[in-house]
Amino acid sequence: MSHVYDLHTHSTASDGAFSPELLVEKASAVGINTLALTDHDTVSGLVAAQNASRKHNVTLINGIELSCLWNNKTIHVVGLNIKADSKTIIDATIHLNHLREERAIKIGEKLRKVGIDNAYENAKRIAAGGTVTRQHFSTFLIENGNAKNQTEVFKRYLVNNKPGYASVEWPSLEETIAQINAAGGVSVIAHPLRYKLTATKLRNLIKEFKGFDGRAIEVITGHNQSTEIQLATGYAKRYGVAASVGSDFHNGNTPWSQLGKLAKLPQGLTPVWELW
Ligand code: AMP
Ligand code: MN
Ligand code: MN
Ligand code: MN
């Protein structure tokens, strides 16, 4: 029996639908042996997830998905096997959540200008104490009848040049990798093919990331196709970075991103778990 890894998932500590405990239980039920909880800009779900992992016979890797800026674009870096009580990481999450709070207020103001009231208050209600993300605004806007589904709501409201978009001065890529390193973790570029970067820019991103001591890229992510897996495999080999596997699971609603439903890593790559 092969060992099943899923190293990118979300809980109610950020924008996932399930509590850390329930996520671990579900992961166990679908046969995942090693799970990383990687909530956006927070480590607040990790203690509960660790406790649940002992009950459900799953190895829980402490993780986080940090928002950062590279060449003015928001990039997500997953930190794996971090010390969750690292002061550097905790300070980083405080700063990031402050930035998120400021952005959420701005999004609320912008949506009010197009006639949608109380979006900030509702996003906060839905986030229920977890990191507030655009996903929470999306849930509210669907609830409020402004769009049918998540794809539509992002396209119409929550992306650049749309009425509910506000940019954020996230920390730099370099600083973010340094924080993960300070916490004893391994940095991974999350979903590298989802940033709509040209091939040249993506290669530059991976090169610079490696230069800053970034260690891996996600080769297998929830919704990628075999051509995307081949592309990412080529980049990992060419630039000498390790390969990670993570569904980016948030909830049961997205058929392309389910727990435990991941393609195998192609041959000839260094799996990220060999780095810890
Ligand atoms: P944030 O980090 O607050 O900007 O929110 C980003 C989150 O929103 C991602 O992690 C996804 O959960 C979700 N998201 C972003 N873009 C889309 C999209 N086009 N369709 C659906 N969900 C999206
Ligand atoms: Mn998310
Ligand atoms: Mn992401
Ligand atoms: Mn994610």
Side-chain angles (χ1 to χ4, degrees):
M1 277 276 286
S2 65
H3 192 101
V4 179
Y5 290 86
D6 190 337
L7 301 176
H8 185 158
T9 63
H10 295 271
S11 75
T12 48
S14 66
D15 56 355
F18 303 124
S19 67
E21 294 88 343
L22 192 54
L23 178 77
V24 170
E25 188 181 328
K26 284 180 181 283
S28 171
V30 298
I32 291 170
N33 304 105
T34 298
L35 177 78
L37 177 61
T38 57
D39 277 306
H40 296 285
D41 304 324
T42 186
V43 290
S44 69
L46 294 177
V47 170
Q50 283 292 358
N51 290 335
S53 73
R54 285 187 278 276
K55 204 158 64 192
H56 296 288
N57 203 22
V58 168
T59 300
L60 197 282
I61 300 292
N62 285 331
I64 192 164
E65 182 174 15
L66 291 169
S67 314
C68 68
L69 274 187
W70 177 77
N71 271 357
N72 265 327
K73 278 209 75 121
T74 300
I75 301 292
H76 287 171
V77 176
V78 165
L80 293 176
N81 207 31
I82 54 169
K83 293 186 195 80
D85 58 358
S86 152
K87 182 168 183 324
T88 307
I89 284 293
I90 291 166
D91 288 348
T93 64
I94 292 169
H95 175 61
L96 288 160
N97 279 276
H98 181 72
L99 294 174
R100 284 183 169 278
E101 186 68 21
E102 283 179 349
R103 177 184 63 165
I105 292 168
K106 273 193 221 155
I107 293 177
E109 286 164 357
K110 289 191 159 188
L111 288 172
R112 199 182 298 278
K113 288 198 181 126
V114 295
I116 301 167
D117 288 337
N118 299 320
Y120 166 75
E121 292 76 5
N122 280 286
K124 290 287 282 186
R125 168 182 59 79
I126 294 161
T131 303
V132 61
T133 73
R134 282 183 294 163
Q135 178 99 44
H136 301 108
F137 281 94
S138 133
T139 302
F140 164 65
L141 290 168
I142 294 166
E143 223 179 72
N144 201 43
N146 300 98
K148 284 196 306 287
N149 57 46
Q150 210 170 303
T151 309
E152 186 189 329
V153 85
F154 270 87
K155 222 188 274 176
R156 286 180 50 193
Y157 291 98
L158 298 173
V159 293
N160 201 5
N161 296 319
K162 297 296 167 178
Y165 181 80
S167 61
V168 190
E169 276 292 316
W170 302 116
S172 69
L173 176 67
E174 182 174 15
E175 195 180 344
T176 298
I177 296 168
Q179 289 162 346
I180 292 168
N181 286 339
V186 170
S187 294
V188 183
I189 300 178
H191 41 69
L193 298 173
R194 231 192 277 162
Y195 303 112
K196 302 195 177 93
L197 296 172
T198 62
T200 309
K201 283 205 172 139
L202 182 54
R203 288 199 297 264
N204 287 340
L205 168 64
I206 299 170
K207 272 191 271 186
E208 286 189 30
F209 170 79
K210 192 181 179 192
F212 295 144
D213 214 11
R215 306 295 299 279
I217 65 173
E218 285 181 349
V219 168
I220 309 292
T221 87
H223 68 331
N224 63 8
Q225 312 287 312
S226 63
T227 51
E228 296 178 306
I229 295 173
Q230 279 172 24
L231 254 177
T233 298
Y235 289 130
K237 287 185 178 167
R238 178 161 172 187
Y239 296 107
V241 288
S244 189
V245 173
S247 61
D248 201 7
F249 178 77
H250 284 74
N251 53 52
N253 305 333
T254 46
W256 59 85
S257 176
Q258 291 304 315
L259 274 175
K261 285 237 175 81
L262 286 165
K264 277 205 162 36
L265 263 186
Q267 296 287 308
L269 294 168
T270 305
V272 69
W273 51 87
E274 287 184 3
L275 304 182
W276 57 68

